């Protein structure tokens, strides 16, 4: 069975304390990339978890276009959820988004539409 390869987008508390420690317990997932605004912190986290790829927010679309992840885990400030999830979905990547899904109903609808269009 091939594992789901996640790119973690946002390396804050919820990512470090809740998501990343739990991935190895799933048996079906692995973290292959970290996308962060702090190269230094992302490098430390990547070393700790054995994550091969680190990208800046400016490199997000480059990461999406590469073959390093099947899905993204979006743990950014709420106002950024829709943008990063929609970009992932349009690139054919699945998106797991921290709550709340988005800040407005219109953003949620746009996220759903992107998922429906891409099949992700």
């Amino acid at each position: 069975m091939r594992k789901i390869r996640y790119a973690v987008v946002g390396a804050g508390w919820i990512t470090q304390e809740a998501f990343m420690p739990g991935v190895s317990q799933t048996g079906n997932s692995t973290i292959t990339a970290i996308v962060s605004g702090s190269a230094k912190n992302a490098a430390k986290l990547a070393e700790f978890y054995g994550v091969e790829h680190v990208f800046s927010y400016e490199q997000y679309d480059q990461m999406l276009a590469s073959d390093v992840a099947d899905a993204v885990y979006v743990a950014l400030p709420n106002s950024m959820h829709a943008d990063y999830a929609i970009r992932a979905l349009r690139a054919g990547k699945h998106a797991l988004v921290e709550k709340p899904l988005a800040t407005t109903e219109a953003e949620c609808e746009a996220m759903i539409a992107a998922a429906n269009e891409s099949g992700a």
Side-chain angles (χ1 to χ4, degrees):
M1 173 176 78
R2 182 171 173 236
K3 291 188 175 188
I4 299 165
R5 301 171 301 157
Y6 278 96
V8 171
V9 185
W13 183 88
I14 194 76
T15 295
Q16 293 181 40
E17 296 296 320
F19 185 76
M20 292 184 84
V23 169
S24 64
Q25 297 176 31
T26 66
N28 71 351
S29 301
T30 188
I31 299 170
T32 55
I34 298 172
V35 180
S36 174
S38 171
K40 181 180 173 183
N41 291 344
K44 284 182 188 177
L45 200 56
E47 183 178 347
F48 183 80
Y49 281 98
V51 175
E52 184 177 353
H53 304 281
V54 175
F55 297 89
S56 67
Y57 292 129
E58 292 78 17
Q59 296 171 312
Y60 182 63
D61 291 313
Q62 174 188 338
M63 185 280 300
L64 292 173
S66 72
D67 187 35
V68 300
D70 306 305
V72 296
Y73 168 70
V74 180
L76 295 166
N78 299 343
S79 63
M80 300 169 73
H81 286 185
D83 176 44
Y84 278 78
I86 289 169
R87 287 160 63 191
L89 293 162
R90 288 184 176 155
K93 308 294 183 189
H94 302 286
L96 175 61
V97 182
E98 266 302 324
K99 63 183 180 183
L101 181 62
T103 58
T104 68
E105 184 178 346
E107 286 179 338
C108 291
E109 290 173 352
M111 293 164 83
I112 293 165
N116 288 337
E117 290 167 13
S118 71

